[in-house]
Amino acid sequence: MRAAVARRLRARLGYRGAALLVCGFGWINYGIGLIDNPRFGTVHGVSALLFDGRMPISAWGVVWITSGALSVLAAFRPGARDWWGWAAAAGPPAMWAVAYSGARALSEFSQGWYSGVTWAVVPSLLLILAAATRKLMSLRRRVKGLEARLVEAVQTGDVNGERYGH
């Protein structure tokens, strides 16, 4: 029973959906951590995003959780209709990368540059993964189309534009 459910889930998600699902659950977890017990370095590093206390770190936790939830929902969307999930997954880490790098540029957080570059890796990898899997989807569609044409040609006896007897 479990194996059948796993197969159906794997077929439904594919590589794109699996990536969005993993990312989504990760962002939900990170957001909960920001709300429950934010680390000093995180709060200090993203101080530019806190807008002088007008947007507390717990509100950013909600942003991460929302991003994660959107990514999880998009994981179950077929093919190219999941673009908004990729944007949701890449948004918060991209903002974190800018905030950390900005904090370093303003001499507010000496480790900001390293953290900024580290956070920039995530949206970069998501972009590469989204592009690569989109190419894979396109190739699969082309192969299925060729298979269908081949099956039709074999069934009708019309191979290479020439009619063979049946």
Side-chain angles (χ1 to χ4, degrees), residues 10-163:
R10 199 173 22 251
R12 174 86 171 130
L13 290 175
Y15 292 122
R16 292 173 69 86
L20 286 170
L21 194 65
V22 167
C23 193
F25 283 129
W27 291 172
I28 290 169
N29 180 65
Y30 189 71
I32 291 169
L34 289 176
I35 292 169
D36 186 45
N37 189 12
R39 294 185 318 268
F40 173 76
T42 301
V43 174
H44 191 62
V46 297
S47 60
L49 293 177
L50 301 178
F51 304 109
D52 294 325
R54 286 176 278 164
M55 185 165 177
I57 197 70
S58 59
W60 280 105
V62 172
V63 169
W64 281 87
I65 291 169
T66 302
S67 166
L70 290 171
S71 298
V72 168
L73 290 174
F76 295 95
R77 300 289 297 175
R81 292 184 285 180
D82 63 357
W83 64 267
W84 49 273
W86 292 96
M95 287 185 279
W96 245 227
V98 170
Y100 275 107
S101 299
R104 173 62 179 122
L106 297 172
S107 299
E108 293 178 6
F109 189 58
S110 60
Q111 295 101 350
W113 173 251
Y114 311 113
S115 297
V117 170
T118 301
W119 277 110
V121 168
V122 176
S124 301
L125 286 174
L126 286 171
L127 178 66
I128 292 166
L129 183 59
T133 54
R134 191 162 169 92
K135 178 79 170 174
L136 182 62
M137 287 180 354
S138 173
L139 290 172
R140 283 184 178 165
R141 273 195 303 272
R142 288 178 55 196
V143 167
K144 281 186 180 182
L146 290 172
E147 285 175 345
R149 287 176 47 201
L150 180 60
V151 166
E152 180 183 348
V154 168
Q155 288 174 347
T156 62
D158 186 13
V159 181
N160 291 332
E162 299 176 25
R163 193 94 176 128

